[in-house]
């Protein structure tokens, strides 16, 4: 049955009601995208808006380029003219980028690309100076393209709406989608409900591109980029990779066909950066590095020095540094991060202020903090983390997207808390992490549909659990880890066991399994780590043995070994630890002996030494302790006397001494030289324990470790044996 005129009016009113609400309440730039294939409905909306605002303050201003030639420059000139001529006026500006003449199509697609690209570059100017509503009207096909062509402009939109033309005399149907939270500060956000729409747009574009026309192939590549970005945001990383790979290959084919190295540079740099993001998340770090560098080169070759360009260049330098860290090329990573800092220092005060408002300064500080922490400069890392958190707090008052700013603040408070805990600032660490968890719980209560917040909250709960675990409050840690596992399971169920969801679940289950072992629930621990192995097998089947998978396998094998030791099954534990040791050695070789992999190898050797000791494999235990000791001595040369390295050195010295003594206690005679070596090891350990206890007088673990060392020393002096 045909729709009545009343129902048609009701449907058209949906867009009007949503748009008018946003425009009325706005206090600065309010950006609205409208997509319409029905010129009559679009004209009615514009007329209605003009009538209302003419009554309130002044009629809206219409910007409608007369020709596609020079359209971008004309639009910017008119927007600047609006600010100069009417700086206090709040009436909307309507930018008509769809012609009302259906026959006037020549050159308009390129013009729309150029206009949106220029507006994207002028995003900061718009936010700082254009304190009015701006409505941009586009053809419906552009709904799937704006995010790729103008990602920053898309990110700051207030709403988008599509008006579908009436069919068989029916009403115009409004498809209204308000703003949704972006994935992160660098990505172009796409509406979360648009995967199906984008897939349909790709199918139509693919059909149009079958004849190989340049414009049609470019349109297909842009549509594929938008689809890939949305799939990535939706945690469908493998599908995102396929879409973005095809987009880049098609753009590269167009470039080669044009015989111009600079052809399609705008589209290629957007797609290359998105591909870098996906490859990074999938652990394909060499590929991520290649695409990030390609995007950076294209940005560097672009003319001008707009804040938007500078932001992208600095962000890409930070991304490249992140990839180099994952590839264990830390000296290169530090050099690239310094280059990013140099670029920041060279900016004018005005540009730096604009980019600070977009979170770039805080992001740069966070990366510097992480590099300090990884290189053993933990105190400097904490200082940088504090600076980054302070900058992020300062963004809250003027944030265009307060949800994103608060979410990033919560994430960084967790990092700050972990670093504070590492340097034994336990109270400060608890305060930081507790604030993060409380903030995330508030955000979830405000936006329960925002599933990405579950990842952050689960991470915060794990950080809380880690704090109480180190204080040996294992029941409390177990409860927090169980809550984190529940959130991770919910996220995995909602996201179809995406790669990100599996990683999160493995991290939470690993901590839960360790806490179960500490509470002597070995059977439950074995079951938990068994589930981890099943999840890792899924990742291996999908992506092979990446470095991330190797690390997870070592951790899970060590957790299983601890549970089997608690059950009295030393033989199984030793077998599992030897498998873990082989994987840890593989990682060390792949990383060219990076500090992080050396530390992981040393920890695995310590676990294996304890397992051999429980099975009375004295010589094997001594060999493991000796190798672990040499690794910590190597780390000490790199990191200096950090409290973590000193504590582990003391553990190894005591472990080596006790292996010799336990062997003697078992009836295997120790020579005088061996007993003297044991006393020397304990004396050296005692020196380190004293240093740690004096440096951290309020930390009970260091006092307890010192008391244990003193007891061993006294027993050796009295009897030539260690006390049980």
């Amino acid at each position: 049955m045909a729709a009545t005129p009343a129902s048609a009016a009701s449907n058209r009113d949906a867009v009007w009601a949503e748009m008018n609400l946003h425009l009325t309440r706005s206090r600065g730039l309010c950006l609205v995208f409208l997509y319409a294939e029905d010129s009559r409905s679009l004209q009615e909306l514009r007329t209605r808006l003009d009538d209302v605002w003419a009554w309130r303050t002044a009629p809206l201003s219409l910007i409608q380029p007369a020709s596609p030639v020079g359209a971008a420059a004309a639009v910017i000139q008119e927007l600047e003219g609006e600010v100069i001529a009417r700086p206090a006026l709040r009436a909307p500006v309507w930018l008509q980028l769809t012609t009302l003449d259906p026959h006037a199509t020549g050159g308009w697609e390129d013009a729309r690309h150029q206009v949106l690209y220029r507006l994207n570059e002028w995003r900061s100017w718009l936010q700082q100076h254009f304190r009015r509503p701006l409505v941009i009207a586009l053809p419906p096909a552009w709904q799937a393209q704006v995010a790729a062509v103008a990602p920053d402009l898309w990110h700051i939109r207030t709403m988008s709406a599509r008006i579908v033309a009436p069919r068989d005399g029916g009403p115009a149907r409004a498809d209204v989608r308000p703003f949704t939270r972006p994935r992160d500060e660098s990505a172009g956000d796409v509406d979360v409900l648009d995967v199906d729409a984008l897939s349909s747009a790709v199918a139509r574009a693919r059909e149009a591109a079958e004849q190989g026309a340049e414009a049609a192939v470019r349109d297909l590549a842009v549509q594929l980029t938008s689809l890939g970005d949305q799939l990535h945001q939706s945690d469908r990383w493998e599908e995102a990779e396929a879409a973005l790979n095809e987009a880049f290959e098609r753009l590269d084919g167009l470039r080669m066909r044009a015989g111009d190295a600079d052809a399609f540079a705008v589209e290629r740099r957007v797609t290359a950066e998105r591909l870098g993001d996906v490859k990074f998340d999938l652990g394909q770090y060499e590929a991520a590095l290649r695409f990030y560098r390609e995007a950076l080169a294209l940005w560097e070759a672009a003319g001008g020095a707009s804040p938007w360009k500078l932001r992208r260049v600095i962000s890409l330098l930070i991304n490249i540094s992140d990839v180099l860290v994952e590839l264990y090329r830390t000296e290169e990573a530090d050099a690239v991060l310094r280059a990013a800092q140099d670029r920041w220092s060279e900016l004018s005060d005005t540009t730096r202020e604009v980019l600070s408002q977009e979170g770039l300064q805080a992001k740069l500080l966070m990366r510097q903090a992480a590099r300090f922490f990884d290189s053993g400069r933990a105190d400097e890392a904490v200082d940088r983390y504090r600076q980054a958190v302070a900058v992020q707090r300062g963004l809250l008052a003027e944030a265009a997207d307060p949800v994103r700013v608060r979410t990033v603040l919560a994430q960084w408070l967790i990092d700050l808390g972990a670093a504070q805990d590492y340097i034994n600032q336990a109270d400060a660490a608890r305060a930081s992490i507790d604030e993060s968890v409380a903030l995330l719980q508030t955000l979830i209560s405000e936006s329960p549909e925002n599933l990405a917040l579950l990842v952050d909250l689960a991470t915060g709960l794990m950080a809380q659990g880690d704090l109480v675990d180190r204080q040996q409050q294992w029941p409390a840690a177990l409860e927090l880890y169980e809550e984190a596992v529940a959130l991770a399971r919910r996220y995995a169920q909602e996201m179809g066991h995406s790669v990100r969801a599996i990683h999160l679940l493995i991290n939470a289950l690993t901590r839960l399994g360790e806490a179960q072992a500490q509470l002597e629930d070995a059977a439950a621990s074995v079951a938990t780590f068994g589930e981890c192995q099943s999840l890792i097998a899924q990742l291996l089947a999908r992506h092979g043995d990446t470095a991330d998978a190797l690390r997870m396998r070592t951790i899970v094998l060590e957790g299983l070994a601890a549970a089997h030791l608690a059950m009295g099954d030393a033989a199984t534990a030793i077998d599992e630890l030897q498998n873990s040791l082989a994987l840890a050695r593989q990682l060390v070789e792949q990383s060219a002996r990076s500090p992080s992999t050396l530390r992981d190898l040393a920890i695995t050797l310590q676990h294996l030494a304890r397992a051999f000791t429980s099975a009375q494999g004295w010589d094997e235990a001594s060999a493991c302790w000796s190798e672990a000791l040499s690794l910590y001595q190597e780390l000490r040369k790199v990191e200096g006397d950090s409290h973590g390295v000193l504590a582990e050195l003391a553990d190894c010295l005591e472990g080596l001494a006790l292996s010799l003594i336990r062997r003697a206690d078992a009836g295997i005679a120790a020579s005088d030289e061996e007993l003297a070596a044991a006393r020397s090891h304990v004396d050296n350990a005692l020196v380190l324990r004293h240093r740690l206890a004096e440096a951290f007088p309020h930390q009970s673990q260091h006092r307890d470790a010192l008391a244990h060392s003193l007891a061993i020393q006294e027993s050796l002096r009295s009897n030539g044996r260690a006390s049980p």
Side-chain angles (χ1 to χ4, degrees), residues 138 162 170 208 242 276 299 335 378 402 417 459 489 550-551 579-580 591 597 659:
L138 289 158
R162 181 179 181 184
W299 272 112
T459 304
R489 289 195 195 284
L550 283 175
R551 279 191 288 265
N579 289 333
S580 177
S591 69
T597 58
S659 290

Side-chain angles (χ1 to χ4, degrees), residues 33 194 483 514 532:
F33 286 99
D194 269 353
E483 191 174 349
E514 291 171 349
C532 289

Side-chain angles (χ1 to χ4, degrees), residues 109-110 212-220 254 257 264:
E109 276 301 286
D110 283 338
E214 181 181 284
V217 175
R218 182 183 70 171
D219 180 60
L220 173 58
L254 288 174
R257 193 164 75 181
F264 306 99

Side-chain angles (χ1 to χ4, degrees), residues 515-589:
Q516 289 166 333
Q518 292 286 2
L519 291 169
E520 300 183 356
D521 192 352
S525 181
V526 168
T528 298
F529 283 112
E531 182 179 355
C532 289
Q533 286 186 309
S534 298
L535 292 169
I536 291 173
Q538 292 183 38
L539 294 177
L540 293 174
R542 288 157 70 171
H543 302 294
D545 219 351
T546 64
D548 289 338
L550 283 175
R551 279 191 288 265
M552 285 187 285
R553 287 170 65 192
T554 60
I555 293 169
V556 169
L557 284 168
E558 288 168 18
L560 274 171
H564 282 124
L565 273 177
M567 298 171 71
D569 188 355
T572 299
I574 289 171
D575 183 59
E576 289 163 340
L577 286 167
Q578 286 177 327
N579 289 333
S580 177
L581 183 63
L583 297 174
R585 292 193 192 281
Q586 187 176 337
L587 280 169
V588 167
E589 293 305 314

Side-chain angles (χ1 to χ4, degrees), residues 478-545:
L478 181 73
E479 185 176 342
L480 289 164
Y481 293 147
E482 286 175 337
E483 191 174 349
V485 167
L487 289 173
R489 289 195 195 284
R490 178 185 165 195
Y491 185 75
Q493 183 177 7
E494 295 281 356
M495 303 307 295
H497 282 77
S498 66
V499 175
R500 185 187 190 195
I502 292 175
H503 282 178
L504 178 69
L505 187 52
I506 290 173
N507 286 335
L509 286 168
T510 299
R511 286 171 165 82
L512 176 62
E514 291 171 349
Q516 289 166 333
Q518 292 286 2
L519 291 169
E520 300 183 356
D521 192 352
S525 181
V526 168
T528 298
F529 283 112
E531 182 179 355
C532 289
Q533 286 186 309
S534 298
L535 292 169
I536 291 173
Q538 292 183 38
L539 294 177
L540 293 174
R542 288 157 70 171
H543 302 294
D545 219 351

Side-chain angles (χ1 to χ4, degrees), residues 611-622:
F612 277 127
T613 298
S614 68
Q616 299 189 356
W618 316 117
D619 292 338
E620 294 89 345
S622 293

